Amino acid sequence: MATSFDVIILGGGPAGYVAAIRAAQLGLTTAVVERDKLGGVCVNIGCIPTKALLHSARMANVIRHDAKDLGIATGEVTTDYGVAMKRSRREAEQNSKGVEFLMKKHKVTVIRGSGTLAAGRRVKVGGDTYEATKGLILATGSRVKGLPQVGLEIDKAVVISSDEALFLERAPKTLAVVGAGAVGCEFADVFSAFGTKVTLIEALPKILPLEDAEASDAVAKSFKKRGIDVIAGASVKQATVGKDKVTLQVEAGGEKRAVEAEKVLMAAGRAVNTENLGLREAGVELTDRGFIRVNPVTLETSAKGIYAIGDVAGPPMLAHKGSREGVHAAEVIAGQKPHAIRYDNVPSVTYCHPEVASIGLTEAQAKEKGLEFTVGRFPFSANGRARASNETDGFVKILAGKKYGEILGAHIVGGHASEMIHELAVARENEYTVAEVDLAIHAHPTLSEAIAEAALDAMGRVIHI
Amino acid sequence: MATKVVMEALSPTMEEGRLIEWKKQEGETVAAGDVLAEVETDKAVMELVARAGGVLRKQLVPAGATVPVATTVAVIAGKDEDIAALLGNGSAAPGAGAAKPAQGAAGAETAAAAETAGAAETVATAETAAAAGKAHPAPVVAAAPAAPATPADGGRVKASPLARRIAAERGVDLAGIAGSGPGGRVVQRDVERAPVAAAPAAGAAPRPARALPDEGYADEPLTQIRKTIAKRLVQSIGPVPTFYLTAEVDMERAWDAREALKALGPEGKVSFNDIILKAVATALRQHPACNAWWQDDHIRYWRDVHVGVAVAVEDGLITPVVRHADRKTLREISAEVRDMAGRARERRLRPEEYTGATFSISNLGMYDISHFTAIINPPEAGILAVGGIIEKPVAADGQVTIRRRMQVTMSCDHRVIDGATGAEFLRTLKTLLENPLALVW
Ligand SMILES: Cc1cc2nc3c(=O)[nH]c(=O)nc-3n(C[C@H](O)[C@H](O)[C@H](O)COP(=O)(O)OP(=O)(O)OC[C@H]3O[C@@H](n4cnc5c(N)ncnc54)[C@H](O)[C@@H]3O)c2cc1C
């Protein structure tokens, strides 16, 4: 095997493997070092398997609650998490194989093993040393972490993380989920559909704390309706971990409560993989928060010729942000001057039901910035397609600048929010205002009409309410 | 017979002209000699007159566009005459710079205008109609040969809908703005940084005061006259066409003030250079025209005031920069200069500490130099050379008295600063130094 490449990438997650493909497209000889499975967290224990489980969950809920009304007789509906889990594993495996195929197709060398930096832009893997002549990219990603301060060290049996939840053979009877960001909400949704009594605990005042308050409220309402116990603004004071149960002392709104559960799923933050890489020796600096410090224009670290992308390079810790950085870093190394990444225009999506998708500012942020804006809203309950497909939960909300109608932020809650947000991402990327969004003719009947209506509403011209 | 209206050379040196305003609209009957449009040349605002009579059938260039001399800008013809042939090659007139009208701001307006025009004028494209349509006051957006946002083939200006809206509302000419979006597209931040252009309707009226935005500076596209001044001066005198202005300042009061501060103890020790720096920063704030960078295709007017101070080091010269000097107290300036000058001599300044000045000062007073000229640090547009404070006989109120006097000489980049502009700045500086209390006022 060659020992010298134009580009070497440490980590084969969505940031690293996409960087590799782009580098290869640009004619650079490229190698990816991966110690585990190609595709990283996202493909193997993140985005993809969770979405497979969420599909099972959604189908279970639809069949359970709507089938009869839709004219479908089912008899008694039972669920088996083990079966759903196995299907999610197959999808993840398939996806990882797909990445392997893409590496072959683009003649990217995959070096198996754990890599560390050595002097002079070199990487050591086991006993071998490889040299990156043009650029070295760090894409080592992140991992789960517990809350040892309150006694919630992940023990993989009672105190678990997404890493274990994705491999359970059966759904626990009761589950406490600590942390109600995207991952916490998605697992709460999944397990609740598989018959688990779920308690969802969030320290900040609302679940999905990074989303617009209205979106958070809509999801909380839907969760409560399905019997999920949502406790927000709550801090876990203490945890007593037994052999097959855990008791959490939770304080919320001045009140103390004990939450008992068979397992507790930790979904409050992730730790980045920056240890044992030889970063300090290589002159790669970290930020105060522990991410690798990069120049946002070039993604180069404080060490010349070494770049960082994906979760290790800082928030938002999302696969699509990492992939974009991968493309960007490869282009910079190839000598191109790619257009700067707009970190304020990265869509954020939670795939529970109803889905929450957003881009740009929340209403609270826009207020805090002292911006003058109007809010355009349209509920799916007034949308024909949503009614026809029984997806009337949720709304589209657009914050438009008062003077020019620029789209400051957009928030969609609803059955297919994740697919719909991109219309507004394209609009924002190209600086279309609500006027241009409305001018584009939206097919009828579609959920997307709600976007056009919300844009109209921001201009005071909504049609269907 | 159909006649092409071309951009005429309205002055001997004119190579291109900016069409400020159409005085006749499409469909209007015109007679030979009628004023069709107002055009800004390198020298002045002049009138473009009709050379033939008929109906102004088509405007090929929107208000605000800059086009080379000899470009066809309109067609005059009989009411029902077929002018398709003229339009076919008309607008693609000489050179790469021929401007085509740009698209209207809002899609809604574009669509509406296209409808109106489409009925009347079969040859009009939607874009032309939007830009020239009278029912819809389309924003002034156009291509200018020098504008980076304009594609080389003379097509329309690339700009986002939001940028067009803001430009239309503020009266900014998109053609003069360098786009920072993909492919040189003009985006929101570009327009927001651009200063408000001359209002077309105001004709020869003076340019509106520069509205300095929240960013540290405003980039202003070069007007025809500035372009010509720049071109000629560079030919005549070298890459930075410099002229010099000298003034003599009475330093009695500054002297007293410094003594008074000194009496406060070691804390109060400030140098004359610190006082001059403070005065320069304060004066720059009042004369943003002197606080600017020459940027080849535009001038960057800084809102922030960063003053560089030349410091002699062992084998040369380095210029530490007091950032936001206008917002700092004399005491802060004094401490900062002392610290940076010390470190400069030890070669321990960080690059960001000696770059980015918006104006500089060079002081040789301590060497008993009474008067000298300093060389401008491009892209800065000015530098002040400060001589020593010398006691000399001065006539005042009909009497000869001995007073402490200081000569300052400002070197000005003529492409940015004109004689009167520099002189006004110096007058303010002199007033401030002669009444040092004004520095804290
Ligand atoms: C349960 C869950 C659900 C998620 N769902 C979504 C979602 O729906 N959408 C979304 O956008 N994001 C989601 N995320 C986040 C997403 O998975 C991450 O943002 C993404 O995987 C980060 O990509 P990355 O390439 O930076 O790192 P990773 O995916 O973490 O990949 C890093 C790779 O580097 C390898 N590696 C690390 N160190 C070394 C070394 N020294 N030598 C060799 N190899 C090394 C690792 O084995 C790993 O394969 C989810 C995360 C979780 C946990």
Side-chain angles (χ1 to χ4, degrees), chain A residues 11 14-15 34-35 40-42 51 115 140-141 270 277 310-311 317-319:
Chain A
E34 174 56 62
R35 65 181 176 200
V41 168
C42 168
K51 265 78 268 179
T140 51
R270 291 177 67 82
L277 287 173
D311 283 4
M317 290 165 86
L318 294 170

Side-chain angles (χ1 to χ4, degrees), chain A residues 27-92:
Chain A
L28 303 171
T29 56
T30 309
V32 170
V33 184
E34 174 56 62
R35 65 181 176 200
D36 199 342
K37 285 187 182 140
L38 283 174
V41 168
C42 168
V43 166
N44 297 291
I45 47 171
C47 327
I48 300 298
T50 48
K51 265 78 268 179
L53 292 169
L54 279 158
H55 181 65
S56 292
R58 176 71 188 139
M59 293 311 285
N61 280 330
V62 168
I63 294 168
R64 223 179 257 140
H65 303 299
D66 303 346
K68 203 168 155 220
D69 189 40
L70 299 177
I72 304 165
T74 57
E76 196 203 343
V77 178
T78 58
T79 52
D80 185 335
Y81 187 78
V83 175
M85 182 274 284
K86 288 195 184 86
R87 170 179 170 272
S88 78
R89 293 323 308 158
R90 282 199 304 277
E91 299 314 322

Side-chain angles (χ1 to χ4, degrees), chain A residues 121-137:
Chain A
R121 225 187 282 154
R122 285 189 175 75
V123 180
K124 271 188 75 153
V125 186
D128 303 322
T129 304
Y130 302 88
E131 190 190 1
T133 54
K134 295 217 164 92
L136 181 59
I137 303 180

Side-chain angles (χ1 to χ4, degrees), chain A residues 10-17 33-48 50-51 113-116 139-144 162-163 166 183 186-187 270 273 275-277 309-312 316-322 349 351:
Chain A
L10 222 54
Y17 85 72
V33 184
E34 174 56 62
R35 65 181 176 200
D36 199 342
K37 285 187 182 140
L38 283 174
V41 168
C42 168
V43 166
N44 297 291
I45 47 171
C47 327
I48 300 298
T50 48
K51 265 78 268 179
S114 220
T116 50
T140 51
S142 64
R143 60 178 187 277
V144 296
S162 57
D163 290 3
L166 288 168
V183 173
E186 290 180 9
F187 277 108
R270 291 177 67 82
N273 296 325
E275 304 89 348
N276 309 323
L277 287 173
I309 57 175
D311 283 4
V312 269
M317 290 165 86
L318 294 170
H320 42 283
K321 174 253 172 190
V349 179
Y351 299 79

